[in-house]
Amino acid sequence: MPEHIKSIEEKIEELNRKRERIQLGGGQERIDKQHAGGSLTARERIAVLLDQDSFLESGLFAEHRCTNFGMQGKPMPADGVVTGAGSVDGRLVHLACQDFTVGGGSAGEVHCRKIVQMMQASLKTGSPFIVVNDSGGARIQEGIESLSGYGQVFYNNVMLSGVVPQISLICGPCAGGAAYSPALTDFIIQTRSACMFITGPSVIKAVTGEEVTAEEIGGPAAQMNISGVVHFVAEDDRDAMAICRRLLSFLPSNNLEDPPQWDAEEIILPDKYLNTIIPVDSRQSYDVRDVVARLVDRADFMEVQEHFARNIVIGFARIQGRSVGIVANQPAVMAGVLDIDASDKAARFIRFCNAFNIPLVTLVDVPGFLPGVEQEYGGIIRHGAKMLFAYSAATVPKITVVMRKAYGGAYLAMCSKDLDADRVISWPTAEIAVMGAEGAVDVIFRNEIRKADDPKAKRQELIAEYKESFSTPYAAASAMKVDDVIEPAETRRYLAMSLDILHSKREFRPQKKHGLIPL
Ligand code: HXC
């Protein structure tokens, strides 16, 4: 063989050397720094997330084309993002995992092109798209090319929206585009040490003079509890990957499939504990998650946005092996009243479930919408209307259980029969009325109470009468707004049978480009 022609062994050796060099990302020193901060590297994260040996990488040899600011010839292994396909519990996913050890995971033209390629592969194969964010945002040296790259990521986020589930993990500092792209996806999982913001502390100080730390402005306490941007908080990278895997187990791979079906119990026995789970006195509170735990398989409830708008509880569970989305008022927080944040939280979740064929189970114990100047100025009319809109627009099976209070507009907004709920059942403890007995009596019997010899006693008498006649489920049941009044112990069985019956539900709506949910 002529000397200048390399043998196949030499070529394979060269290939392996190149691979090893690229797979080391930004080098051992930066990997050590990542580990010292308690984080995994991009490749380690992928190994934890995916089924063993299922990862098929693409774009390993991709390189940037930037020549500005000393970038010419500067190695950026894999251009700072590891992309490919793999499986989670045997089901296909596509993913992009930013590598902070390479240029701070910053996103340039090629980096974004790699992400977009995976998004389009998700779309073509009907598989979820997962992106692990750990990035300083748009790569400053690449100027308009990096902005354009992020623009294309955003555009493709929207193309995927409602077709395949999109999940973002925030595993490091995420600024600018690295925060906006997750905001366009369905779920955000943030680790305790990560932060996300559009502009960081130094820019905020320069523009507004406010002094905040990255943690205060973008840590999980801020982005979950206050802003409601984040859906799950993870202890660390491993926990974030575990949350992502668990979340995927409830979801179909795309909008044309049903969620995976798990094993069901042979028979469902009545659960007498449910008969006493809620206090009959409607002034007493309880944790609605205790009710949810009794109704779903193995008490396995994956709560979404646990620390935001805690007056409403949302999340995924299974009933007889079928995935369901649960929406429940939480009497333990603000008596379960609906306010701006609760309406936003629930409406978004309802729309996700509808897009991905996940039936909705709504548990009602709601005293009404929260009155107040702050709520009115904040646009409670617009935000509360989102719930009316989302439930009305949803065509998945909708089953509502009225447990106790169901008053006024909030009764309607919690998936009432008039918003086309397929089944509304009620416990005998239900109070379905325009408002609570005390308020109603004060409005409609004001004169009688004033004129009575003993106004206080008269008021109590009228309250008792009102409660007897109207604060029950029977008026609603006689008007066919409630399909049945059942013993609470029978609820799980009733839900399971209803989900079975409604599985083949098909509903056809007028053709339109899209509805106009009040944003
Ligand atoms: C190029 C970047 C970068 C960026 C970080 N780096 N961000 N390079 N473009 N956007 C590089 C750093 O220069 C450094 O390189 C390495 O990544 C690690 O960064 P450090 O600053 O050392 O790390 P740390 O102290 O942990 O701070 C991380 C950080 C900070 C909080 C993310 O780097 C930062 O604030 N970066 C800028 C954030 C930002 O404003 N981005 C622009 C967003 S605009 P060396 O080689 O020195 O190690 C945007 C627009 C999109 O995204 C559209 C939105 C709508």
Side-chain angles (χ1 to χ4, degrees), residues 48 104 112 151 172 174 204 209 256 291 349 361 363 426 429 438 483 503:
V48 175
C112 291
C174 290
I204 291 178
L256 299 179
V291 179
F349 181 71
V361 173
L363 304 179
S426 173
T429 40
E438 286 81 359
D483 295 301
H503 181 62

Side-chain angles (χ1 to χ4, degrees), residues 30 33 74 100 102-106 135-141 147 150 154 173-178 180 197-198 200 202-203:
R30 286 171 193 246
K33 196 173 166 198
K74 186 176 174 182
F100 194 79
V102 178
S106 58
S135 165
R139 188 175 294 155
I140 296 161
Q141 298 91 324
L147 281 182
Y150 254 128
F154 300 160
C174 290
Y180 264 135
F197 36 69
I198 297 302
S202 53
V203 178

Side-chain angles (χ1 to χ4, degrees), residues 468-519:
E468 189 56 35
S469 324
F470 297 107
S471 298
T472 73
Y474 300 107
S478 71
M480 292 176 66
K481 302 301 174 193
V482 163
D483 295 301
D484 204 353
V485 183
I486 65 163
E487 186 182 332
E490 296 289 345
T491 310
R492 179 170 154 76
R493 194 170 71 92
Y494 195 100
L495 289 174
M497 289 177 75
S498 302
L499 287 167
D500 219 27
I501 291 164
L502 290 165
H503 181 62
S504 55
K505 178 185 173 190
R506 292 286 175 270
E507 201 171 308
F508 299 99
R509 298 284 177 98
Q511 283 284 330
K512 56 182 147 181
K513 207 164 171 185
H514 59 75
L516 293 158
I517 189 163
L519 293 172

